[in-house]
Amino acid sequence: MATPPTCSCLPSSATATPLLLPHAADITPRSLRGTRLPAAVASPAAASARRSAVVRASLALPQGVFQPLAVAFQRGPWGASAAETAEEAALVAAVGAAKGRGREVTDEQRQAIQRAVETLEATQGVRGPTQSPLLEGTWELLYTTRPGTASPIQRAFVGVDAFKVFQQISLQPSNARVNNIVVFGDSIGRLKVEAAASVASPSRVAFRFDRAAFQLAFWPYRVPYPVPFRLLGDEAKGWLDTTYLSRSGALRISKGNKGTTFVLRRFVTPQERLLQAIQRRQAGVEQLLAPVAAVNPTHRPASSDLLPGRWRLLWSSQSSEANRVQRLTAGLAKNFQVVSEDGSRLENVVELLPAVLLRAAAEAYAVGPARTEVYIDETTLEVGPLKFNLPITGEGYIDQLYLDETLRVSRGNAGSLFVHVRDS
């Protein structure tokens, strides 16, 4: 697992920087005069009722992770039920006998784990793992060695069986990241430590930690983790070698720059299953939305600082009440939604043809934890340099069912469902 300064899992230095949360909202403004906007059926009360389950799998995907999923998922199922070779099963059984992911391990257990690790490393597995899409995605930490450089933070978090520890890897050139996540429990929250990454060799990923924050289940704001990354210089840098990656993509062995060995197993999040189904154009996408909504990590998505920005429509399901314009434009490849920095303005931009754009702008007001009221006040058709005002207005509301740094799921008041990903 990526190794922060003075620790093979999490940083331990301290600083504090407050985060500002601008008022933000969401909208899908595509309706004709006299009709209502599609928006969310799920109420803010329903969203609030889900909070107790929010953290259990609230693993926000690094931007770009969904791109290689279709390739990787063709290799078969992942997770605890994934098929394993006899050698892989032996390692999983050996690390399972250790307590606290290696915090309490006998000499006999340690030797058995080391033998199993060396056996798998000798088989090599996938050659050039940093070049393979199987390396990307979410991994659950099963075991880690305890070198003398392990910090109190690592011992406090990683060694607690009640906590879950994950690592997310995205090696897309536009936004390569390595994120370490500790999930403390449904009623508490999670800690996410993030690093910018780059491929240094066929087996090595270099990284530099740049931000970290707690996301608490009972508090709508992200709390910065006290680490002065900008002041640490080279101490914030490190690398991670993948010494074994199974051909099924189910198991990984890695070693950090401080000598720590990590054993990790593929963890398929509800978000990954959703994105994979959309990318492969599978049926039943709508049934995958409820598990994603159940693990929404954002306490008050309608007023979250995660909402502003440019979002690309990845998938939509139009209800019978959706108007003709909405049904015709929702399936287009270039369909974006832009939320202003303060959340007071929103704009949908649809490319109907090359150089032909349909724009709908609206005022937006957050009126609940997940709900935003929207009022379309301007719609234009742009054909090259020409601009035509259209008599299209409307009002309605939309509920955010799921929101993280890169993925958003929402439902309109007419029942339409939308999946957006952040556009870099």
Side-chain angles (χ1 to χ4, degrees):
M1 183 167 287
T3 308
T6 72
C7 169
S8 55
C9 185
L10 296 169
S12 60
S13 302
T15 190
T17 304
L19 290 179
L20 300 179
L21 278 86
H23 172 82
D26 189 18
I27 177 176
T28 304
R30 303 187 207 110
S31 59
L32 298 174
R33 184 184 299 272
T35 63
R36 294 187 304 171
L37 278 175
V41 172
S43 67
S48 177
R50 295 196 306 269
R51 293 303 168 213
S52 63
V54 156
V55 183
R56 185 168 53 253
S58 59
L59 303 175
L61 291 171
Q63 192 163 354
V65 161
F66 71 92
Q67 296 176 5
L69 284 178
V71 176
F73 267 82
Q74 292 172 1
R75 302 300 182 96
W78 291 331
S81 62
E84 297 171 335
T85 67
E87 293 81 3
E88 291 169 356
L91 175 58
V92 172
V95 300
K99 295 182 179 180
R101 302 178 188 86
R103 175 176 52 85
E104 296 181 19
V105 57
T106 65
D107 290 340
E108 182 179 355
Q109 291 171 334
R110 184 179 296 105
Q111 293 170 6
I113 293 170
Q114 184 61 30
R115 287 195 300 269
V117 166
E118 292 174 352
T119 298
L120 287 175
E121 289 178 337
T123 67
Q124 295 186 329
V126 174
R127 294 180 180 273
T130 62
Q131 309 300 318
S132 171
L134 292 175
L135 184 60
E136 300 187 85
T138 302
W139 297 85
E140 182 176 5
L141 180 65
L142 302 181
Y143 174 85
T144 176
T145 57
R146 300 295 176 185
T149 55
S151 74
I153 296 298
Q154 180 182 1
R155 293 193 295 270
F157 290 164
V158 179
V160 179
D161 285 324
F163 299 162
K164 296 293 184 181
V165 182
F166 300 92
Q167 184 177 81
Q168 295 174 328
I169 297 178
S170 172
L171 299 180
Q172 299 302 305
S174 60
N175 190 29
R177 307 289 295 178
V178 174
N179 300 332
N180 293 335
I181 300 172
V182 179
V183 178
F184 303 115
D186 295 350
S187 60
I188 303 174
R190 65 173 183 164
L191 169 64
K192 185 174 185 179
V193 183
E194 304 182 56
S198 62
V199 174
S201 77
S203 62
R204 177 169 294 183
V205 174
F207 60 86
R208 182 186 181 92
F209 284 95
D210 54 11
R211 59 178 179 261
F214 289 94
Q215 192 163 11
L216 304 176
F218 50 84
W219 186 251
Y221 308 106
R222 288 178 294 174
V223 180
Y225 189 80
V227 180
F229 293 118
R230 295 181 180 178
L231 303 179
L232 293 179
D234 289 344
E235 288 297 315
K237 297 179 180 179
W239 49 259
L240 189 70
D241 278 346
T242 295
T243 58
Y244 178 80
L245 176 62
S246 67
R247 298 185 184 279
S248 67
L251 193 68
R252 173 165 65 96
I253 301 171
S254 292
K255 293 184 178 179
N257 55 289
K258 293 186 180 296
T260 308
T261 297
F262 304 97
V263 178
L264 307 99
R265 183 167 55 190
R266 176 76 63 180
F267 183 86
V268 186
T269 67
Q271 302 93 311
E272 287 174 320
R273 293 188 187 278
L274 171 64
L275 293 171
Q276 180 259 346
I278 292 173
Q279 192 169 37
R280 295 179 63 177
R281 301 182 183 276
Q282 294 176 335
V285 170
E286 189 166 344
Q287 284 67 45
L288 298 175
L289 298 178
V292 172
V295 296
N296 179 21
T298 305
H299 184 54
R300 300 178 65 87
S303 56
S304 171
D305 64 339
L306 296 177
L307 198 52
R310 181 179 173 91
W311 296 86
R312 177 164 58 88
L313 182 66
L314 197 64
W315 177 91
S316 68
S317 174
Q318 304 302 329
S319 73
S320 58
E321 296 184 27
N323 63 74
R324 184 172 59 183
V325 173
Q326 180 183 355
R327 291 196 297 269
L328 289 175
T329 60
L332 296 179
K334 295 185 178 181
N335 193 327
F336 300 93
Q337 186 174 95
V338 182
V339 182
S340 68
E341 253 334 286
D342 64 359
S344 63
R345 296 291 299 176
L346 304 107
E347 182 182 51
N348 271 20
V349 182
V350 182
E351 183 175 314
L352 302 174
L353 294 169
V356 179
L357 301 177
L358 176 65
R359 297 180 183 271
E363 293 183 356
Y365 304 92
V367 296
R371 179 164 296 178
T372 301
E373 290 184 352
V374 293
Y375 301 89
I376 300 177
D377 53 21
E378 182 181 16
T379 304
T380 60
L381 178 65
E382 298 179 7
V383 182
L386 303 177
K387 182 176 179 180
F388 304 93
N389 292 321
L390 301 179
I392 299 176
T393 60
E395 62 182 62
Y397 64 85
I398 195 164
D399 284 348
Q400 302 296 334
L401 306 182
Y402 179 91
L403 175 66
D404 66 31
E405 291 92 337
T406 59
L407 177 67
R408 180 159 61 91
V409 178
S410 56
R411 188 195 301 266
N413 57 273
S416 298
L417 294 162
F418 306 91
V419 177
H420 287 84
V421 292
R422 191 177 298 279
D423 190 57
S424 57

